[in-house]
Amino acid sequence: MTRQGLRRLPWLVPAAIALLSLWWLWHWQYAQAQAEARRHAEARLALYGSSLEGAQERFTYLPDLLARQPLVQAALLDPAGVFLPQVNAYLARVAERSGAEAIFLVDAEGITLASSNHAGPDSFVGHDYRFRPYVHDALAEGWGEFFAVGSTTGRPGYFIAAAVGQERASPTGVLVVKVSLEALQTDWRRAGERVLLIDANGVVILSSRPEWRYRRLGELSPRARAEIRAQRQFMGRPLEPLGERLGDGTLRIGDQGLGERYLASALPLATLGWRMHYLTPVRPLYVSARNALMGGAAVWVALLLLGLWLRERQKRQRLREREARIYREANEQLEARVVERTRALHEAQAELVQAGKLAALGTMAAGIAHELNQPLSGIRTYAANGERLMQRGRSEAAEENFRRIQGLCERLATLIRQLKLYARKGGAREPVDLSARLDFVLELLAERLDKQGIDPVVRRPEAESAWVLGDEVRLEQLLTNLLRNALDALRGVEAPRLEVNIEAAPSCWVVRIADNGPGIPESLLDKLFDPFFTTKAVGDGLGLGLFISFGIVQDLDGRLQAGNNATGGAWFRVELPRAVAPATDEKAHE
C-alpha cells in the first residue's frame, strides 16, 4: 500500500462506521414505527370488531322470537292467507321499533308471504328467495345467516333467518331479519381510517372507502365464483382485484406498480368466516425512518465539523505556543516586579492589621463604658432619692433605696463577668419574665421620666406572664437601651408620649416601643444598628446602644426592627422566642 493510501486509511474506518450506523438506524426506526402502527391497528380492530358484533347481537334474538309467535305460525298454516294482513302490520311495527331494515316471512318453498315493507314499491311479498342460502340453512338446521346485496332493493345487508314451526316434523317456513351495516362504514369513514370487512371468499363486503367495496383480495376459485353467481350474492358485480400482496407482506392498492402500500392487520370474526382488516399506510413509516436517518446524518456531519474544528484548533494552539515563547522573557521581568510589589503590600497589610487591633480595643472600651453607665445612672437615682427620704425622716424607705443600690453594684460585677458575651455569640439562657424586667427598667428610669414630664403608657398581657428565653442582665440592657433612646428623642418635644406594648405572637413575645419624637430619617434606617453611629451631638452619646441591643437580640435568637410611625415619631419592635414558665412564676430581682 502506498503512503497516500496509508494516509487515507484513518478516514475510511470512520466512514464505514458512519454508513453502518445509518443503515442500522434506518431499519431500527422503521421497525419501531411498524410495531407502533401494528399496536394501534390491533387496538382499533378490537374496537371496530366489538362494534360490529354488537350491531349483530342486537338482532340475533329477533328471528327466533318472531318465529315462535302464534300469529306468524298461523299465517303459514292458513292456505287462505287470512292472517297475512295482520302479519304484515305486525312485522312493520317490529321493524320500526327494532331498527331492522326489513323483516319478512317466507314459506317452505322460499316464497315471501308477508313483509314489513309490504306497502312499499320494493316490497318483498311474492318474491322467491329459495336461491339464498339462509333459507335452506334455516329449513335444514333451524338457523341461517348470510350477507348479500338485496335482489329486490339493491341494498346490501346482513340476513338472519330462523325456522318457523321447528317443533313439528318439518318447518313450515322461515322468518328473516335484514340488518343494514352501512352505519359502521359511515363511522369508519368519519374516523378517516382504512378498514375492510372481508367474507370467507376474500371479497370486500364493507369498507371505509366506497370504491374498495365488492372487490377481492386474492384469487377466487371456480367453485367460489359458481356459488356466488348461484346465490346472487353480489348481483353480478365483477369482483375485480383490490390489490396485490408484495414479498414483504404489505398490500399494494391501486394501479399496477403505482398504488399505495399498506400494512394489513387482520382480526378473524366468528360470523361466516369474516375477517376485518385495518390498513396502515407504509409511507409515514418510511418518512419516520427517513427523518431518523437524516437526524443521524446530521449528527455525523456535526461530528465531522467538530473534528475539523479540533484539528484547526490544534494548529492555532501550536501558533499560540510559538507566540508564548516570545513573551516569556517579558513575563519573567514582570514577575520580578510583582514579587517586589507583593512584599510592599504585605508590609501595608501588617500595618492595617495593627490599626484594626487598636480599633477593636477602642470599640471594646467604649462598650464597657456604655454598659457600666446604665447601672451608675440607677445608683445616682437611688442615692438622690435616699438622700431626700433621709431628710424627710423616712429611714425605712431610704434603706430600701440603699438595698437597691447594693443590687445595682452586684449587677455591675455581673456585667464585668459577662463582658465575654460580647466576644462570642450564645451563652446560658433560662426563662425570664419580660414584664417584670420592664417594670424594673422603668423604675430605674423613673427620675428621668419625671424630669421630662413623661408618663409612659404600658400595655401588657393580663392573663399570663411574658416568659422568654434569655438572661435577666441582657434583657434589662436591651430594654434600657431602647427606652433611653426613646427618651433622648423626646427632649424638647411638647406633650411627649411614650408607649410600651408587650404582645403575644404564635411563637414569640413582641415588645413595641414607640414615641412621638422627630423620627429617624429614612436614609439612616439602614445604618441605625452600626457601631459608633449616632445622630446625637458630640459628647452626648457613643453610638453603641442600638449596636449592643442588636447583638443581644441576635444572641437570644430574636429579631429587632425599627421604623417611623405614620403620625410622626419612631418605633422599635423586638421579637423574642417564648419560654416555658418555671414551676414558680414569682421571681424576685433585687
Side-chain angles (χ1 to χ4, degrees):
M1 183 178 292
T2 64
R3 181 176 299 178
Q4 186 177 5
L6 291 174
R7 291 178 180 176
R8 292 179 180 176
L9 184 60
W11 290 99
L12 293 176
V13 174
I17 294 174
L19 292 176
L20 288 175
S21 65
L22 293 177
W23 177 85
W24 175 86
L25 179 63
W26 189 93
H27 284 277
W28 178 83
Q29 180 61 32
Y30 180 79
Q32 292 295 316
Q34 189 180 62
E36 180 62 27
R38 291 196 182 280
R39 285 193 293 269
H40 176 75
E42 290 172 1
R44 303 304 288 176
L45 283 173
L47 174 64
Y48 293 144
S50 62
S51 63
L52 174 61
E53 291 175 355
Q56 293 173 324
E57 290 174 357
R58 284 180 54 197
F59 301 95
T60 302
Y61 73 96
L62 191 57
D64 186 64
L65 180 65
L66 296 177
R68 298 177 183 275
Q69 298 299 316
L71 181 61
V72 175
Q73 295 182 358
L76 289 173
L77 296 175
D78 180 20
V82 175
F83 299 102
L84 291 179
Q86 299 179 39
V87 174
N88 283 328
Y90 175 67
L91 295 181
R93 287 196 305 271
V94 174
E96 181 180 2
R97 293 176 182 177
S98 64
E101 182 175 339
I103 304 175
F104 54 99
L105 178 66
V106 299
D107 59 13
E109 302 299 326
I111 305 301
T112 304
L113 302 180
S115 174
S116 60
N117 62 354
H118 63 279
D122 52 356
S123 172
F124 294 168
V125 176
H127 286 271
D128 184 359
Y129 294 114
R130 74 182 69 184
F131 58 89
R132 293 296 196 189
Y134 58 80
V135 175
H136 50 78
D137 286 346
L139 291 173
E141 302 176 5
W143 176 262
E145 55 182 344
F146 192 60
F147 182 91
V149 177
S151 61
T152 304
T153 62
R155 294 190 298 271
Y158 172 60
F159 296 86
I160 312 171
V164 181
Q166 298 185 45
E167 64 277 2
R168 297 181 175 83
S170 60
T172 56
V174 177
L175 193 136
V176 186
V177 176
K178 180 182 180 182
V179 180
S180 176
L181 301 178
E182 302 301 306
L184 295 175
Q185 290 190 133
T186 304
D187 293 339
W188 299 344
R189 192 177 304 115
R190 289 175 180 172
E193 297 180 317
R194 300 162 182 83
V195 185
L196 305 176
L197 183 62
I198 301 172
D199 65 5
N201 293 320
V203 178
V204 179
I205 57 177
L206 292 177
S207 173
S208 58
R209 295 280 188 91
E211 65 272 15
W212 292 353
R213 200 172 185 183
Y214 307 126
R215 302 180 71 176
R216 56 183 170 82
L217 291 176
E219 295 295 331
L220 286 175
S221 64
R223 179 179 177 182
R225 287 184 179 274
E227 289 181 353
I228 292 173
R229 284 195 299 269
Q231 297 166 357
R232 304 181 194 177
Q233 184 176 4
F234 300 108
M235 298 303 293
R237 285 175 171 78
L239 304 180
E240 297 178 353
L242 176 62
E244 60 175 333
R245 290 280 183 180
L246 302 180
D248 58 357
T250 59
L251 177 65
R252 181 164 59 196
I253 298 178
D255 296 336
Q256 184 71 20
L258 299 177
E260 188 172 1
R261 293 172 58 197
Y262 297 94
L263 287 176
S265 301
L267 175 68
L269 301 174
T271 304
L272 297 172
W274 291 354
R275 294 174 65 85
M276 183 176 289
H277 288 261
Y278 186 94
L279 304 184
T280 304
V282 176
R283 185 184 301 275
L285 308 184
Y286 281 109
V287 170
S288 175
R290 181 201 64 191
N291 293 339
L293 179 65
M294 293 176 64
V299 171
W300 276 108
V301 170
L303 292 176
L304 175 62
L305 294 177
L306 178 61
L308 295 175
W309 177 79
L310 291 175
R311 184 179 180 184
E312 185 66 21
R313 183 183 179 186
Q314 290 177 352
K315 292 181 179 179
R316 294 181 180 179
Q317 181 65 26
R318 289 192 291 269
L319 179 61
R320 284 195 294 267
E321 290 175 355
R322 288 195 297 268
E323 294 175 350
R325 287 194 297 269
I326 299 174
Y327 296 114
R328 186 172 300 163
E329 294 181 358
N331 290 337
E332 292 176 355
Q333 296 176 0
L334 289 176
E335 287 178 0
R337 297 179 63 184
V338 167
V339 170
E340 183 180 353
R341 292 291 179 87
T342 303
R343 186 183 304 110
L345 288 175
H346 285 166
E347 294 175 357
Q349 183 179 11
E351 294 177 0
L352 289 175
V353 169
Q354 184 63 27
K357 291 179 179 180
L358 294 176
L361 289 174
T363 301
M364 184 180 69
I368 294 172
H370 183 277
E371 292 303 315
L372 293 180
N373 185 52
Q374 296 174 8
L376 290 175
S377 299
I379 291 173
R380 284 197 302 269
T381 300
Y382 288 130
N385 290 340
E387 181 183 2
R388 285 194 294 270
L389 291 172
M390 291 293 291
Q391 292 173 356
R392 297 175 184 174
R394 298 174 60 185
S395 59
E396 293 182 358
E399 289 177 2
E400 177 66 21
N401 278 10
F402 293 146
R403 280 194 298 271
R404 293 186 177 182
I405 291 173
Q406 182 181 1
L408 289 175
C409 291
E410 293 176 357
R411 183 172 176 228
L412 286 173
T414 303
L415 281 174
I416 294 172
R417 287 195 304 269
Q418 291 188 351
L419 285 176
K420 61 182 180 179
L421 294 175
Y422 296 112
R424 57 183 175 87
K425 296 182 66 175
R429 288 183 282 182
E430 60 184 4
V432 179
D433 188 353
L434 184 61
S435 182
R437 296 305 97 214
L438 177 61
D439 292 339
F440 177 74
V441 172
L442 289 175
E443 189 174 354
L444 285 178
L445 299 175
E447 182 181 3
R448 183 170 178 182
L449 290 169
D450 292 340
K451 185 183 294 186
Q452 291 187 226
I454 300 174
D455 184 13
V457 179
V458 181
R459 300 184 181 90
R460 66 189 77 199
E462 298 178 357
E464 57 178 324
S465 298
W467 291 94
V468 297
L469 197 61
D471 63 81
E472 294 181 353
V473 174
R474 287 196 289 177
L475 284 176
E476 292 168 4
Q477 292 171 353
L478 170 65
L479 296 173
T480 303
N481 287 341
L482 296 179
L483 288 172
R484 285 169 59 89
N485 186 79
L487 292 176
D488 291 340
L490 291 174
R491 288 177 180 173
V493 176
E494 296 182 3
R497 187 176 70 255
L498 178 63
E499 296 183 1
V500 183
N501 297 335
I502 299 180
E503 305 169 349
S507 61
C508 63
W509 285 101
V510 179
V511 181
R512 190 176 188 277
I513 300 173
D515 61 65
N516 63 339
I520 306 169
E522 294 292 335
S523 60
L524 303 181
L525 283 174
D526 294 338
K527 305 177 182 178
L528 200 59
F529 301 110
D530 293 345
F532 300 109
F533 176 79
T534 181
T535 59
K536 301 175 184 177
V538 177
D540 202 12
L542 296 175
L544 289 173
L546 293 179
F547 169 68
I548 293 172
S549 300
F550 188 81
I552 292 173
V553 173
Q554 280 194 323
D555 287 346
L556 298 180
D557 297 330
R559 185 180 181 190
L560 175 59
Q561 296 174 294
N564 292 312
N565 299 314
T567 57
W571 57 264
F572 288 86
R573 189 175 189 273
V574 182
E575 297 179 6
L576 296 173
R578 283 175 174 261
V580 178
T584 302
D585 289 342
E586 298 178 358
K587 186 174 180 66
H589 180 85
E590 292 293 336

